[in-house]
Amino acid sequence: MKWHEMRSDEVMNSINTDAENGLTSKEVQKRTQKFGFNELKEAERPSAIIIFLSQFKDFMVLVLLVATLISGLLGEYIDAIAIIAIVVVNGILGFFQERRAERSLEALKELSAPQVMVLRNGEWVKILSKELVPGDLVKFTSGDRIGADMRLINTKSLEIEESALTGESLPVQKSTQPIAGADVGLGDLTNMVFMGTLVTRGSGIGVVIGTGMNTAMGQIADLLQNAETMETPLQRRLEQLGKILIVVALLLTVLVVVIGVIQGHDLYNMFLAGVSLAVAAIPEGLPAIVTVALSLGVQRMIKQKSIVRKLPAVETLGCASVICSDKTGTMTQNKMTVTNVWSGGKDWTVTGTGYHPHGEFFQNDQKVEVKHSKTLQQILTFGTLCNSAEIVEKEGHFQLDGDPTEGALLVSAMKAGLVKHSLLKNFKVIEEFPFDSARKMMSVVVEDKSGNRFVVTKGAPDVLLGISTNILWNERQENLTSDYASKVKDSIENLASQALRTIAIAFKPLNSTEKIHTSLEAERDLVFIGLQGMIDPPRPEVKQAVKECRDAGIKTVMITGDHVITAKAIATQLNLLPANGKVMEGKELNSLSVEELEAIVDDVYVFARVSPEHKLKIVKALQNKGHIVAMTGDGVNDAPAIKAADIGISMGITGTDVAKEASALILVDDNFATIKSAIKEGRNIYENIRKFIRYLLASNVGEILVMLFAMILALPLPLVPIQILWVNLVTDGLPAMALGLDQPEGDLMKRKPRHPKEGVFARGLGWKVISRGFLIGLATLAAFMIVYYRNPDDLAYAQTIAFATLVMAQLIHVFDCRSEKSIFDRNPFENIYLIGAVISSILLMLIVIYCPPLQPIFHTIPILMRDWLLILGMSAIPTFLLAGSLLTRKTSKTMI
């Protein structure tokens, strides 16, 4: 028999606890040794050294280390030192970015451990919740956080808010009654309370039956630790690129050695030339530039209220095709809000959301002044007087102290200028009968300044309707006939169909001699006033964010533990649920395997009444269908799915620590709309990475072809290895980094998400790299041959001309890389960083050429002014030849 099936006395006997005195200190010590402390086991955090060393696991970094080893063995120490410097810089950048993200996360965490009241040695004492053991008797009241899993043995109007665990936004009424059935869902265990949940009303005493990892939260933490972490698309693509480059480098080395030996050259010199080509084939700066681009993107995202915890995951957002979002607290505000009032056949709608007391009342789309409507004023006033909650203002923010339903009633009255503390100056509450789950209502006896007394009752509409004998209709009391009762029931059904929770309010005047001693005396022969309908409303900005995601080809799926009617209503308000979209409940998910769910998952937009295991199943089914899945949430129940998703997103304010630890991205402002901004940033980061891959590889292809063509033509090498390395690391590095800061193109959020298997060279990038690289190589070789044949005895001067032509050709080409179409499609001055980088690269090139101490190192000779015309002319050909032909074709099509 499980705990929830037992009676209270059976539970106490089974767990061997004294109901009068609790556990003794000796027994506590024994149980602590047996069960351990009441805390969740955290996965061991890697040390700073491990985090630093992990930066060198990247395939491209390993390629660079191999290049370093070869360069060192061949005596090219300057090359080796330069490559090592890039590798170390790359590692340091990645290390500090991860540490910075962790520090940002620490600032969001609550450091204080919750305390609990426990019965020990016959006395109630306050201890840290981590010291609880099974068998402890714990007392709690409104505002307390539950410290362990407990079976309730005593309750008084107890309600618990369990949204962090189950996803339900409304508090759950608790009792001590046994519940039949072994397989009862977490949300239906009304005689138990769970670690991490919050008491919103009443008080209770429970006996601890589970601590640490043996709690419901512990089971979720275990799921979390065992969830697989997905590799990001960017990591896969860069690994693919690294493998391609190492194969190319090896083939080139072999090819050059073979050609050289056939031509009769020395084997060692040919091997050195082959290694020079291998160095040219590998863009040494790429890992560092990718890391810098991601880091800069991360800094921009922090300004937009997003904290990135895992650096490569930034790009994953850019190809997300599905966002699985928790409803409560993510798409909605987790703040119950009155939206409709009904009384005496009249309907009013109420604007404003959350606990901020700003809003207006409308009737038939016409604004209403509450002071001109006695009925409306009365129902709002009575909803405030029969109320135990408080709305507190702190630094301009309004917060609820008490039950969310009561808070909603207070705020609706405040919107009409009826504030509780002001009303209590005119009305005195002389008797209170608290809410009870058996009665399903609460009543107060109130006296006004004139000495008139009356009862005010609020509660479940069907219950209040049954104990009312009159109804307020057109500001007059009428007998509550079956006709009037039918109209009330129609209104209740109408509000329920909109997923509104309805609270009824009634009253009765008391004569001067009538005394009320019990709730039974108070709650009879009432005058039914009306209904207030409330809901946890959507965040105002979410509807637009969902639309923009849809325009970007991204499907939004709502996943919630709430009831299907509520979930469907919110989804409809957000325009998230299309006409043919399906809604699925958890019980349906139970009967489906992941494979069966895959067949229909693309048609489902709302999943309701789901468990943590269901969320994992949904994420897996979507991933198996080829989707890149972003999972958002704030509760402990969301954490396993957050970790399993391609990118997990948690809430910074309302998010639990467990959810934050599982996520790759934290929304500081808990704003779903921030996800849209993050997706745009992620897409732009990837496009910018493509831009500088295009730029770097086209440059490298040009370098390779210059060397290869020269060897085939039996010419001297146009470039020496140190010049190639300078171009790769310094000249190319600054403009490539500036491309990482480029603004997004105008139609970025109108494009469909990239296919997860899209390669680095997709969408014509491979052709652009080869064609531009071919022309850059040809132009550089042509400039070298012109000068070399003019003066064959001055090889160093011809090599310097080739070096300058290569640099200038690449610096002109970088502006072409900003657009998928043509260099003429974008204003070059939009990216001021790129202008600065190009100017800096030109100055660095001139320093290498004209600074005497550097000339022996880089094998350069000062260039005469007349030869700069040759250099500039040849370097402009690769970009403007192709761009001009493209422009001509466009013009021809337009004219036709």
Side-chain angles (χ1 to χ4, degrees):
M1 186 180 288
K2 294 189 176 181
W3 298 112
H4 64 267
E5 297 178 272
M6 300 180 188
R7 297 192 313 272
S8 299
D9 58 326
E10 291 175 325
V11 173
M12 299 294 286
N13 290 333
S14 178
I15 208 161
N16 195 19
T17 295
D18 184 348
E20 297 296 324
N21 298 300
L23 299 177
T24 64
S25 298
K26 188 176 179 181
E27 184 63 24
V28 168
Q29 193 173 7
K30 268 202 249 176
R31 296 191 186 194
T32 302
Q33 288 176 349
K34 180 179 179 181
F35 298 104
F37 282 114
N38 176 36
E39 52 192 5
L40 302 180
K41 291 178 184 174
E42 284 190 43
E44 193 174 336
R45 287 181 180 274
S47 66
I49 293 172
I50 297 296
I51 293 174
F52 180 69
L53 293 176
S54 70
Q55 308 303 316
F56 302 98
K57 292 192 300 184
D58 185 271
F59 190 81
M60 280 295 295
V61 174
L62 296 177
V63 169
L64 293 183
L65 293 175
V66 171
T68 305
L69 178 63
I70 294 171
S71 297
L73 291 174
L74 294 174
E76 299 293 330
Y77 300 118
I78 294 176
D79 292 9
I81 291 167
I83 297 171
I84 283 288
I86 285 294
V87 170
V88 171
V89 167
N90 175 63
I92 291 170
L93 281 169
F95 169 77
F96 279 111
Q97 183 55 47
E98 282 197 31
R99 297 293 285 181
R100 186 185 297 117
E102 288 299 326
R103 284 198 297 272
S104 300
L105 180 66
E106 289 296 322
L108 294 170
K109 295 175 81 171
E110 291 182 6
L111 300 177
S112 57
Q115 294 185 315
V116 293
M117 288 293 295
V118 63
L119 186 62
R120 296 267 178 92
N121 301 311
E123 292 183 7
W124 288 102
V125 292
K126 187 172 280 191
I127 65 168
L128 292 175
S129 66
K130 77 171 194 174
E131 296 171 8
L132 286 173
V133 294
D136 264 328
L137 285 168
V138 179
K139 182 164 61 175
F140 37 82
T141 188
S142 179
D144 289 346
R145 195 164 288 280
I146 302 298
D149 284 7
M150 305 179 212
R151 172 65 163 85
L152 293 168
I153 59 171
N154 188 291
T155 63
K156 183 178 179 183
S157 304
L158 181 65
E159 290 188 7
I160 305 287
E161 196 263 295
E162 298 178 341
S163 64
L165 201 60
T166 66
E168 286 200 52
S169 53
L170 290 174
V172 179
Q173 296 174 11
K174 296 291 183 176
S175 70
T176 60
Q177 297 302 312
I179 299 170
D183 297 321
V184 181
L186 201 65
D188 297 317
L189 291 174
T190 54
N191 60 6
M192 292 182 66
V193 292
F194 304 99
M195 175 192 277
T197 57
L198 187 69
V199 182
T200 59
R201 184 207 288 273
S203 60
I205 296 174
V207 59
V208 175
I209 49 95
T211 58
M213 296 301 285
N214 294 319
T215 60
M217 190 177 286
Q219 291 169 16
I220 292 174
D222 188 53
L223 276 175
L224 184 61
Q225 289 171 16
N226 293 322
E228 296 176 18
T229 303
M230 302 294 292
E231 190 181 42
T232 73
L234 180 62
Q235 289 170 319
R236 291 195 290 268
R237 290 182 182 88
L238 288 181
E239 187 173 348
Q240 172 196 22
L241 178 60
K243 289 174 180 175
I244 292 169
L245 292 176
I246 197 68
V247 169
V248 169
L250 290 171
L251 289 175
L252 283 172
T253 303
V254 172
L255 182 63
V256 167
V257 172
V258 170
I259 291 173
V261 170
I262 290 172
Q263 290 179 342
H265 293 292
D266 178 69
L267 180 62
Y268 174 80
N269 288 334
M270 286 302 97
F271 187 69
L272 185 61
V275 171
S276 298
L277 268 181
V279 171
I282 299 169
E284 288 83 0
L286 183 59
I289 292 166
V290 168
T291 304
V292 169
L294 288 171
S295 297
L296 292 171
V298 164
Q299 298 310 312
R300 289 196 297 270
M301 291 175 80
I302 287 174
K303 291 177 183 176
Q304 295 175 11
K305 308 296 185 185
S306 305
I307 292 176
V308 177
R309 297 187 64 243
K310 295 168 187 172
L311 193 57
V314 176
E315 179 270 339
T316 316
L317 276 169
C319 55
S321 55
V322 176
I323 300 174
C324 292
S325 177
D326 180 45
K327 176 184 75 68
T328 305
T330 307
M331 306 192 87
T332 65
Q333 301 185 36
N334 204 11
K335 296 174 181 176
M336 294 299 291
T337 304
V338 170
T339 59
N340 293 75
V341 180
W342 179 91
S343 180
K346 296 177 182 177
D347 290 287
W348 293 270
T349 55
V350 191
T351 63
T353 57
Y355 299 136
H356 205 281
H358 287 178
E360 296 174 331
F361 291 79
F362 289 84
Q363 188 175 35
N364 300 324
D365 297 327
Q366 297 294 317
K367 186 178 174 182
V368 173
E369 292 291 337
V370 177
K371 62 184 177 182
H372 296 151
S373 173
K374 184 179 176 183
T375 303
L376 182 57
Q377 199 168 11
Q378 194 169 22
I379 194 171
L380 296 174
T381 299
F382 285 169
T384 300
L385 293 175
C386 187
N387 203 306
S388 302
E390 297 285 347
I391 299 293
V392 182
E393 184 180 3
K394 291 183 180 178
E395 298 177 357
H397 296 284
F398 291 84
Q399 299 174 354
L400 170 66
D401 180 10
D403 178 75
T405 300
E406 293 194 323
L409 297 176
L410 289 181
V411 174
S412 67
M414 291 169 76
K415 290 172 182 176
L418 301 169
V419 184
K420 187 175 182 180
H421 66 82
S422 298
L423 287 174
L424 290 177
K425 293 176 183 177
N426 300 316
F427 298 94
K428 181 182 178 183
V429 178
I430 58 177
E431 188 72 67
E432 180 178 325
F433 302 102
F435 179 87
D436 181 88
S437 55
R439 292 170 25 246
K440 295 186 178 179
M441 60 185 128
M442 169 189 178
S443 297
V444 291
V445 179
V446 178
E447 184 177 273
D448 65 18
K449 280 189 172 183
S450 304
N452 299 316
R453 290 183 302 123
F454 47 91
V455 173
V456 179
T457 303
K458 77 170 191 300
D462 55 332
V463 176
L464 259 66
L465 198 59
I467 58 173
S468 296
T469 54
N470 291 281
I471 186 169
L472 206 61
W473 200 272
N474 290 329
E475 300 186 1
R476 293 204 314 263
Q477 285 190 35
E478 305 281 356
N479 289 330
L480 184 55
T481 62
S482 58
D483 185 43
Y484 282 129
S486 177
K487 289 177 180 178
V488 173
K489 289 175 183 176
D490 288 344
S491 295
I492 295 169
E493 289 179 13
N494 178 46
L495 294 173
S497 69
Q498 301 172 53
L500 298 179
R501 184 186 186 191
T502 51
I503 295 293
I505 294 173
F507 82 109
K508 72 173 177 181
L510 300 175
N511 59 47
S512 57
T513 59
E514 194 173 356
K515 302 292 183 185
I516 301 292
H517 300 288
T518 65
S519 61
L520 192 62
E521 293 172 343
E523 295 163 351
R524 64 185 183 193
D525 301 327
L526 300 177
V527 180
F528 192 93
I529 303 176
L531 307 164
Q532 292 202 49
M534 61 190 69
I535 196 170
D536 177 13
R539 292 176 176 270
E541 65 282 346
V542 171
K543 186 174 182 178
Q544 179 63 22
V546 168
K547 179 185 181 299
E548 290 185 31
C549 287
R550 190 187 305 115
D551 291 343
I554 302 165
K555 176 186 176 184
T556 304
V557 177
M558 180 189 291
I559 302 180
T560 178
D562 221 332
H563 292 278
V564 66
I565 295 174
T566 306
K568 191 173 181 180
I570 296 293
T572 303
Q573 288 180 42
L574 294 173
N575 286 342
L576 182 151
L577 183 64
N580 58 346
K582 292 182 179 178
V583 179
M584 183 176 285
E585 289 190 77
K587 59 186 179 183
E588 295 176 70
L589 277 170
N590 280 333
S591 62
L592 297 177
S593 66
V594 173
E595 292 73 23
E596 289 170 328
L597 181 58
E598 279 178 48
I600 58 171
V601 73
D602 281 338
D603 298 323
V604 183
Y605 287 78
V606 177
F607 291 92
R609 301 300 277 172
V610 296
S611 68
E613 292 82 0
H614 292 149
K615 293 181 182 183
L616 269 176
K617 185 186 283 189
I618 294 162
V619 169
K620 289 294 181 189
L622 287 164
Q623 287 173 333
N624 292 348
K625 289 282 283 188
H627 290 290
I628 295 294
V629 182
M631 172 72 194
T632 75
D634 58 356
V636 176
N637 61 319
D638 301 317
I642 286 173
K643 187 173 182 183
D646 295 278
I647 181 155
I649 307 171
S650 65
M651 303 295 130
I653 299 171
T654 60
T656 59
D657 291 346
V658 180
K660 290 172 192 171
E661 289 295 336
S663 65
L665 183 74
I666 299 174
L667 304 182
V668 176
D669 58 356
D670 285 15
N671 191 336
F672 182 89
T674 305
I675 299 171
K676 183 262 301 178
S677 301
I679 287 173
K680 185 175 182 180
E681 189 64 54
R683 286 189 176 191
N684 190 44
I685 286 170
Y686 182 73
E687 290 305 314
N688 287 347
I689 288 172
R690 271 176 53 93
K691 289 173 189 176
F692 59 66
I693 286 176
R694 171 182 167 184
Y695 170 61
L696 290 176
L697 293 190
S699 302
N700 284 29
V701 167
E703 294 162 18
I704 292 166
L705 294 179
V706 167
M707 306 290 277
L708 194 58
F709 289 160
M711 297 195 71
I712 292 170
L713 295 172
L715 291 169
L717 292 179
L719 299 163
V720 296
I722 191 65
Q723 290 173 343
I724 294 172
L725 202 64
W726 174 266
V727 172
N728 283 1
L729 298 182
V730 181
T731 305
D732 288 351
L734 290 173
M737 286 185 186
L739 281 175
L741 292 168
D742 213 8
Q743 296 296 316
E745 294 188 61
D747 64 342
L748 186 67
M749 287 300 284
K750 299 293 182 183
R751 303 174 192 170
K752 289 185 177 180
R754 299 183 312 279
H755 192 279
K757 295 181 181 177
E758 179 183 289
V760 175
F761 300 107
R763 290 181 274 152
L765 185 66
W767 164 248
K768 287 172 184 172
V769 166
I770 293 169
S771 60
R772 270 60 164 189
F774 179 82
L775 289 175
I776 288 171
L778 214 57
T780 304
L781 184 63
F784 171 76
M785 290 174 68
I786 290 169
V787 176
Y788 177 69
Y789 285 128
R790 192 173 67 198
N791 188 2
D793 295 328
D794 198 353
L795 176 61
Y797 188 78
Q799 287 175 329
T800 306
I801 292 290
F803 171 65
T805 304
L806 179 67
V807 170
M808 291 306 298
Q810 292 178 3
L811 293 179
I812 293 170
H813 171 60
V814 74
F815 291 99
D816 191 29
C817 295
R818 293 187 63 229
S819 172
E820 289 279 333
K821 299 166 188 170
S822 163
I823 191 172
F824 301 113
D825 279 2
R826 300 196 72 181
N827 180 353
F829 296 100
E830 280 178 346
N831 189 340
I832 197 68
Y833 302 104
L834 185 58
I835 299 292
V838 168
I839 292 171
S840 299
S841 293
I842 292 172
L843 289 174
L844 289 169
M845 174 191 68
L846 294 175
I847 289 169
V848 167
I849 293 171
Y850 290 103
C851 182
L854 296 177
Q855 289 168 356
I857 298 173
F858 291 96
H859 307 278
T860 56
I861 290 176
I863 296 172
L864 300 173
M865 288 303 296
R866 68 181 185 188
D867 287 326
W868 276 107
L869 293 174
L870 171 67
I871 291 167
L872 293 173
M874 297 304 292
S875 60
I877 289 172
T879 296
F880 289 102
L881 180 69
L882 286 174
S885 64
L886 183 65
L887 191 63
T888 303
R889 286 202 303 273
K890 272 187 177 179
T891 308
S892 301
K893 286 181 181 177
T894 306
M895 290 174 67
I896 292 169

